[in-house]
């Protein structure tokens, strides 16, 4: 695998030289200062790439070139926004970048309810609790008919939770959910979020899926001609929240998307953490069956908990079976003769980073630990597979 690490640009507290010392050879980044729907200028892309190269690192994967909400809802500005997206792809390809990550989640990107969940070893992890989402949705956001989206046990737990929350705790939960986590495409206040949800009133799962297909049918021919691969990031978490549909959550979702848009540029960012929240997603099997579509890897593991909760585990722990995933990735790379870009995702905040300003999930030391563990795992698997082949040939 090609070892990369995410970098949020010049304002990221993790510096480029830190990433290089951590062992990565590339960064994955974006022009985060460019508003959604605007064209990425060639000069700005080239300038950022030169800055990265000066630190001895490469940049071949964008994360992310955001998809505007008016594209997701097929709004009145669709034609102009599609034209802008196509032009950005042209400019990106001209600068030698080959993989473009995006997602099709309505309004919210990845969502958590706790950014500093204490682990037994003293490190801090990201966590998602469905009852916390329900408490915010029903009692703070006060979305109309929100109660219909939760079962009785979750509503009862949410009511108890809200009753025990201070004003400060309510504010922290609100900000955690809707203020925008690192890499998120949007940030809202609760009134703004309610109004934005209303724009999806007529967009159910089928319509969102159709809008996703329409987007790809409009941009994939351009990406095909440019030699770019567009890789969709799965939903995080992989189920509907706040009454909003999500349609990139399962293997069936992905297989349907690739069948409806068979262009070679229509690809997958395989996120083991996002897909691994669902116990019905067979992660190693998905690598085997969807491998020719995988252009980028997010390797992390979550620990599933009762009642829809989960937290970020260590990279080799949790429920993901990372050994089997990396073995499947190694077999895919050998079969296709390529090295797939990979980044360790959502590391724990630990050691000296506990006293530093960090982006939630993107502190240096936890990700460096993950990168080292994943590197060792891959090399061990490669050595074992090579030894087996030698024995078979003897």
């Amino acid at each position: 695998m090609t070892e990369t690490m995410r970098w949020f640009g010049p304002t990221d507290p993790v510096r480029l030289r830190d990433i290089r010392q951590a062992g990565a050879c590339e960064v994955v980044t974006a022009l985060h200062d460019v508003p959604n729907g605007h064209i990425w200028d060639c000069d700005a892309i080239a300038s950022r790439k030169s800055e990265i190269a000066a630190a001895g690192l490469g940049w071949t994967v964008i994360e992310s070139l955001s998809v505007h909400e008016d594209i997701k809802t097929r709004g009145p500005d669709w034609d102009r926004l599609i034209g802008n997206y196509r032009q950005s792809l042209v400019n990106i390809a001209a600068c030698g970048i080959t993989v473009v990550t995006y997602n099709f989640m309505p309004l919210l990107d990845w969502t958590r309810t706790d950014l500093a969940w204490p682990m037994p070893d003293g490190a801090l992890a990201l966590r998602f609790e469905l009852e916390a989402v329900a408490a915010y949705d029903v009692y703070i956001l006060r979305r109309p008919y929100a109660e219909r989206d939760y079962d009785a046990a979750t509503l009862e737990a949410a009511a108890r939770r809200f009753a025990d929350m201070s004003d400060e705790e309510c504010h922290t939960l609100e900000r955690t959910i809707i203020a925008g986590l690192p890499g998120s495409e949007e940030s809202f206040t609760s009134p703004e979020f309610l109004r934005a949800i209303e724009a999806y009133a007529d967009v159910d799962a089928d319509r969102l899926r159709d809008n996703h297909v329409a987007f790809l049918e409009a941009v994939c021919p351009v990406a095909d001609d440019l030699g770019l691969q567009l890789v969709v990031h799965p939903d995080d978490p992989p189920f509907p929240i706040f009454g909003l549909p999500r349609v990139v959550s399962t293997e069936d979702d992905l297989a349907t998307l690739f069948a409806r848009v068979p262009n070679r540029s229509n690809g997958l960012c395989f996120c083991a953490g996002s897909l691994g929240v669902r116990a019905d997603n067979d992660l190693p099997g998905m690598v085997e069956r969807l491998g020719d579509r995988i252009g980028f890897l997010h390797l992390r593991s979550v620990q599933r908990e009762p009642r829809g909760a989960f937290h970020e585990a260590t990279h080799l722990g949790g429920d993901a079976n990372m050994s089997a995933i990396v073995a499947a990735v190694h077999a895919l790379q050998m079969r296709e003769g390529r090295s797939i870009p990979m980044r360790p995702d959502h590391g724990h905040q630990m050691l000296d980073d506990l006293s530093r300003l960090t982006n939630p999930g993107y502190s240096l030391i936890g990700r460096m630990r993950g990168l080292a563990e994943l590197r060792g795992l891959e090399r061990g698997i490669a050595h074992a597979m090579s030894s087996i082949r030698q024995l078979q040939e003897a």
Side-chain angles (χ1 to χ4, degrees):
M1 297 179 288
T2 301
E3 297 170 12
T4 78
M5 195 173 282
R6 193 165 190 182
W7 181 61
F8 292 100
T11 62
D12 194 327
V14 176
R15 300 163 297 182
L16 288 170
R17 73 178 186 182
D18 299 332
I19 290 173
R20 186 175 181 187
Q21 289 174 17
C25 61
E26 294 193 10
V27 297
V28 175
T29 191
L31 301 184
H32 293 289
D33 55 326
V34 178
N36 289 1
H38 288 230
I39 295 172
W40 283 25
D41 179 78
C42 264
D43 290 342
I45 302 167
S47 176
R48 183 61 51 83
K49 191 168 185 180
S50 295
E51 179 183 6
I52 293 165
L57 294 161
W59 180 26
T60 59
V61 178
I62 283 172
E63 188 175 0
S64 297
L65 181 60
S66 301
V67 179
H68 195 279
E69 294 301 321
D70 280 357
I71 291 177
K72 296 174 187 176
T73 60
R74 198 68 187 263
D77 211 16
W78 193 86
D79 287 334
R80 183 185 67 84
L81 292 166
I82 287 293
N84 287 356
Y85 207 95
R86 288 169 172 159
Q87 186 59 53
S88 291
L89 294 178
V90 170
N91 296 346
I92 286 165
C95 293
I97 294 167
T98 56
V99 178
V100 177
T101 313
Y102 74 97
N103 77 68
F104 221 78
M105 289 180 265
L107 299 181
L108 296 178
D109 199 327
W110 61 293
T111 304
R112 298 293 183 271
T113 57
D114 193 326
L115 306 182
W117 179 256
M119 300 298 290
D121 63 1
L124 302 178
L126 305 173
R127 188 168 185 254
F128 177 94
E129 259 187 302
L130 187 60
E131 65 185 48
V133 169
Y136 168 70
D137 196 7
V138 175
Y139 297 105
I140 301 173
L141 182 64
R142 297 183 180 179
R143 178 172 61 90
Y145 310 111
E147 296 90 346
R148 297 176 180 177
D149 291 334
Y150 305 97
D151 61 28
T154 301
L155 287 172
E156 183 180 346
R160 289 196 305 268
R161 187 187 190 97
F162 178 72
D164 292 337
M165 290 172 69
S166 66
D167 289 346
E168 182 179 353
E169 288 170 331
C170 288
H171 178 73
T172 298
L173 179 61
E174 176 185 46
R175 295 292 81 202
T176 299
I177 291 174
I178 63 171
L181 294 172
S184 295
E185 299 172 4
E186 301 287 353
S187 177
F188 302 96
T189 64
S190 285
E192 289 170 343
F193 188 40
L194 269 179
R195 289 193 295 271
I197 289 173
E198 291 173 2
Y200 278 86
D202 297 324
V203 181
D204 60 9
D206 288 338
R207 184 170 175 188
L208 183 64
R209 189 173 286 109
D210 288 344
N211 292 350
H212 191 179
V213 168
F215 162 70
L216 288 172
E217 288 177 339
V219 300
C220 278
V222 175
D224 289 342
D225 291 342
L226 295 169
L228 291 174
Q229 189 172 28
L230 306 177
V231 294
V232 63
H233 188 287
D235 302 326
D236 187 2
F239 45 76
I241 54 176
F242 301 112
L244 298 166
R246 291 193 159 183
V247 296
V248 190
S249 298
T250 67
E251 183 172 356
D252 284 346
D253 289 338
L254 290 162
T256 297
L257 185 67
F258 299 142
R260 291 185 66 179
V261 187
N263 299 61
R264 64 181 179 277
S265 60
N266 181 19
L268 171 63
C269 170
F270 182 86
C271 180
S274 298
L275 293 167
V277 168
R278 297 181 61 119
D280 57 345
N281 279 332
D282 167 20
L283 302 182
M286 291 174 75
V287 173
E288 294 171 4
R289 291 184 289 273
L290 303 175
D292 62 335
R293 294 287 180 171
I294 296 174
F296 185 28
L297 298 158
H298 288 183
L299 295 187
R300 63 181 174 92
S301 181
V302 299
Q303 181 67 58
R304 295 188 290 269
E305 303 175 34
R307 300 188 302 278
F310 62 88
H311 65 267
E312 307 283 352
T314 59
H315 286 80
L316 302 188
D319 290 311
N321 192 355
M322 194 60 70
S323 296
I325 293 169
V326 173
V329 169
H330 177 73
L332 170 64
Q333 293 180 138
M334 294 296 292
R335 186 166 63 248
E336 298 192 351
R338 62 186 176 115
S339 178
I340 304 174
M342 172 277 291
R343 69 172 178 87
D345 203 4
H346 297 183
H348 288 174
Q349 188 177 356
M350 59 190 298
L351 302 175
D352 288 356
D353 279 341
L354 289 168
S355 59
R356 294 193 182 111
L357 175 67
T358 65
N359 285 320
Y362 290 95
S363 55
L364 175 66
I365 298 173
R367 288 186 295 157
M368 182 171 67
R369 172 186 172 179
L371 183 62
E373 291 176 341
L374 293 165
R375 179 189 302 124
L377 178 60
E378 183 190 25
R379 292 187 182 181
I381 288 170
H383 177 74
M385 294 299 99
S386 177
S387 297
I388 290 170
R389 285 193 300 272
Q390 289 175 8
L391 286 172
Q392 291 173 338
E393 294 169 357

